[in-house]
Amino acid sequence: MNTNSFPDPNGMVSFWRTAPQNLDNFRSTEQLPTESDIIVIGGGYSAAALVTHILEKYPKAPSILVLEARQLCSGASGRNGGHIKPDPYYHAGQLAEEHGLISGRELAEFEGANLDAVKEYVEREKVDCDLIITRACDVHFSSDQDKQAKSRLRKLRKAGIKVVKDASEVSGKYAETVSGVKGAKGCVTFTAGHLWPYKLIHHMFTSAVKRGVNLQTNTRVTKISVTADSQGFWSVTTDRGVIRAPKVVVAANSYTQALLPEYKDKIIPYRGISCHIATPGPSPLLVNTYALRFKDWDFDYLIPRPDGSIVVGGARSVYFRNKAEWYNNTDDSALIKGAKSYFDGYMQRHFCGWENSGAYVKEIWTGIMGYSSDKLPRLGPIPGKSGLYIMGGWTGHGMPQIFLAAKGMADMVVSNVPYHQTGLPRVFEETEARLQSTSNKVMDSWSQVAQGPRL
Ligand SMILES: Cc1cc2nc3c(=O)[nH]c(=O)nc-3n(C[C@H](O)[C@H](O)[C@H](O)COP(=O)(O)OP(=O)(O)OC[C@H]3O[C@@H](n4cnc5c(N)ncnc54)[C@H](O)[C@@H]3O)c2cc1C
């Protein structure tokens, strides 16, 4: 098991990475520069969206160097479920209960705006990334769970939150026929999207490289200096040399703690699993994306691909109780035990009419998510470290957040715009209080499940 917190050199190949493109192992220059105005650590969606927004908004942008330890988009962004699911009620409802209605509203509206912005970008740039806009269907398997989710939804709707109007309730009576999911006791549908993440991110980097961004793949950062020097420059040590920069953005997500020890137990590497299911025989058309919510902590996410195949991830019931399998575990070189058999026969088990489809798992892979200890992303300047920025902690839900988060980050990094003027959800701001907090919701969820009955 890889416990050293750096990306594993032998990560498994995901379905999305079966056809790597020409920047996969790209280096803009043979040697690394000795200085850059901005260094971005990480070559995933966060880094791609950040450089895209910097170049779009600041055409005379300063020099930017992107350092990626492995191949381009080989972290979570190249291993996820491809699901862009702006959630108008589930997390937003939880957040409203905990942090007040304004926070719930900010989150719901931010995620809705993200999907619109990604769609606009993909259409404007004619990105070939299989983006499909459709409806997400959240399926609940007990009446209590359905009641609770819908009560959250109604509270937000009553409060006049615009994007919540898009969400539609399906009663228990029709849940199975409307969702097509066996045993559904109720569901909620709302606008969502899905795409081929690697293709989107590769496109963004292709544009960025053309406009002068220095991309260096297979270049691992081993250290960031503890303080900036007297000129305000940070030293970033890699396995190919040292670079100095006044501004460094850490977009390494689940691997942040290896470079910034204060992020230990703040952005927690969380091992997850997804697979690609091929459908050789006749099978009912699926147009929705799905969350099958068996329990609060146990849910699967699923998208239908435009070619009729399926990408589905989750399988927490198989491994969540065994903490060592996932918590603080950065090993994406091997499968999580039991996951393959969990997905064998998955469509036949859960979806009406799929019994004779012959659907089978074609590719299956492990990936590492970066779970934030308070389950909220962490964005902005790192307190007490002028010139260092954090962009991570997406808690397995970065796809409907990263694009516009990067827009706000671009303003903070290039123009020193204060966080509160960026329009980003206030609860995403990195603060001293968040960094000092000893609360750990990820551990709390695990303890409850580990100590609870095995139903
Ligand atoms: C199995 C799985 C399924 C998921 N499904 C979904 C989904 O359907 N919908 C959704 O919204 N989200 C999903 N997610 C989460 C989503 O993929 C992430 O939120 C998102 O990709 C994070 O992007 P990122 O760029 O911040 O991180 P990453 O894509 O992980 O990028 C970080 C990069 O930094 C590099 N790096 C790390 N350390 C160093 C270093 N020291 N030096 C140089 N480079 C370094 C890594 O190699 C990596 O490429 C899923 C994640 C996983 C693992």
Side-chain angles (χ1 to χ4, degrees), residues 396-409:
H397 188 63
M399 298 298 283
Q401 297 177 333
I402 287 174
F403 192 72
L404 286 186
K407 195 171 180 190
M409 285 293 298

Side-chain angles (χ1 to χ4, degrees), residues 4 13-14 31 100 121-122 195 203 209 244 257 273 285 287 329 398 442:
N4 73 8
V13 177
S14 71
Q31 304 294 326
Y121 175 83
V122 168
L195 48 62
H203 177 97
V209 166
R244 296 169 73 242
Q257 62 176 342
I273 193 120
L285 176 72
V287 288
N329 187 330
V442 185

Side-chain angles (χ1 to χ4, degrees), residues 125-137:
E125 292 263 322
K126 299 186 176 50
V127 187
D128 171 17
C129 65
D130 295 348
L131 173 66
I132 304 283
I133 304 294
T134 178
R135 302 282 289 177
C137 182

